Amino acid sequence: MLHLIQIEVFKIFKRSRSYIGFIAIAAIVLVIELALYLDGQHFLDMAVQNLKDTFSFDGNLLNGYLAVFIILNSLWIHIPFLIALVAGDLLAGEAASGTFKLLLTRPISRFQLVLAKFTAGLIYTLSLILFMAVLSVGLGVFLFGKGDLMVVQNTIYIFSQEDVGWRIASAFAFSILSMTTVAALAFLFSAFADNSIGPIIGTMAVIIALFIFTSIDLSIFRAIKPYLFTNYLGAWRLFFEEPLNSIKITRASLVLSFHILLFFSITAFHFNRKDILT
């Protein structure tokens, strides 16, 4: 099984499209941090303009940790698309190239093949988020240095420099879980398609549609909102609240984990019954 996973990981990183995500993330991080370096102080002054009459701000508020927090917001739409770009091709790509029959001539079950491809997709997702974490933190601290982190959500939180590191690490760890849910959805659509375009577009269409539904304040949408995985993709923000709401974090983790298991189970069930013609 381990050898099968290694083969699938090798196949992912052999394709040039797999590096689009790394290039896009590098570009996003570089552009955001360079823009903050050139015009960040003006951006920060505008953000706290209405608060200067009430509070006194000292220290280096425009620091690497603030840059990382801003970059983490790209997890809403941009990073899910990059994840779907690869996860949506894992099964559909084999169907398009007509290699399923050749793969299944090996002494492996269909479930083992699906599990190996899904695990390889998870490894790719993990690599992408870790790359984003290392680049954004490393470049941010290099350009801006360290300092206290000010976060404006429903209220204003200011975390000391010593209290920020574990919050950022936890936010990225949670992001791996949320992006794995996106990968599982794209993988599910991949099992029903014969080319990768459909799963990629389908995944983004579902995410955008669910985001729209949950942002409209109607009773019917409020009723289903707690059960939608998109409602928890941004739950990494909970690590930047005080006191830490462990109940909300646990609930978000459980809902996302349930969706990952559900999407994978449907994928495995469908692929096991699928007619392989090519």
Side-chain angles (χ1 to χ4, degrees), residues 265-278:
S265 299
I266 296 173
T267 304
F269 178 78
H270 172 73
F271 188 77
N272 198 44
R273 298 167 59 89
K274 185 176 183 178
D275 289 332
I276 306 295
L277 302 176
T278 57

Side-chain angles (χ1 to χ4, degrees), residues 155-170:
T155 184
I156 300 173
Y157 300 99
I158 297 181
F159 303 103
S160 66
Q161 176 180 320
E162 294 74 21
D163 191 33
V164 174
W166 74 268
R167 294 180 187 275
I168 289 178
S170 300

Side-chain angles (χ1 to χ4, degrees), residues 48-272:
V48 301
Q49 187 176 19
N50 296 329
L51 304 173
K52 284 187 174 178
D53 295 336
T54 309
F55 300 98
S56 175
F57 297 98
D58 295 319
N60 178 26
L61 289 181
L62 179 60
N63 56 61
Y65 298 142
L66 177 63
V68 173
F69 183 81
I70 293 172
I71 290 168
L72 271 168
N73 283 280
S74 65
L75 287 164
W76 290 102
I77 294 295
H78 309 84
I79 308 303
F81 174 76
L82 300 175
I83 298 290
L85 198 62
V86 171
D89 186 56
L90 289 174
L91 290 172
E94 300 286 359
S97 57
T99 51
F100 265 141
K101 274 196 171 180
L102 179 62
L103 282 173
L104 294 174
T105 57
R106 293 185 290 180
I108 56 172
S109 67
R110 291 192 181 194
F111 179 79
Q112 286 177 312
L113 179 61
V114 171
L115 183 59
K117 285 188 171 294
F118 185 68
T119 305
L122 299 191
I123 292 172
Y124 176 79
T125 302
L126 175 67
S127 304
L128 207 60
I129 300 300
L130 287 180
F131 174 74
M132 179 180 176
V134 171
L135 183 62
S136 59
V137 174
L139 186 61
V141 172
F142 174 75
L143 288 176
F144 305 102
K146 299 179 181 179
D148 297 343
L149 173 63
M150 184 183 70
V151 174
V152 180
Q153 299 197 62
N154 294 328
T155 184
I156 300 173
Y157 300 99
I158 297 181
F159 303 103
S160 66
Q161 176 180 320
E162 294 74 21
D163 191 33
V164 174
W166 74 268
R167 294 180 187 275
I168 289 178
S170 300
F172 275 111
F174 187 89
S175 301
I176 292 171
L177 180 64
S178 61
M179 291 303 103
T180 297
T181 311
V182 174
L185 178 64
F187 189 65
L188 167 62
F189 288 156
S190 179
F192 287 86
D194 293 329
N195 65 75
S196 58
I197 302 299
I200 295 168
I201 296 176
T203 301
M204 295 312 301
V206 168
I207 290 174
I208 292 171
L210 293 182
F211 270 139
I212 293 172
F213 294 156
T214 52
S215 65
I216 299 175
D217 191 23
L218 293 176
S219 58
I220 186 172
F221 294 142
R222 283 200 300 271
I224 64 173
K225 188 175 178 180
Y227 307 103
L228 302 178
F229 73 92
T230 48
N231 192 41
Y232 304 95
L233 291 183
W236 57 268
R237 283 174 166 267
L238 294 171
F239 290 100
F240 296 95
E241 292 182 358
E242 190 63 36
L244 196 68
N245 194 329
S246 56
I247 294 177
K248 281 188 176 180
I249 293 173
T250 302
R251 183 191 303 145
S253 302
L254 288 175
V255 170
L256 292 177
S257 299
F258 169 77
H259 278 85
I260 293 171
L261 184 61
L262 176 66
F263 294 153
F264 175 76
S265 299
I266 296 173
T267 304
F269 178 78
H270 172 73
F271 188 77
N272 198 44

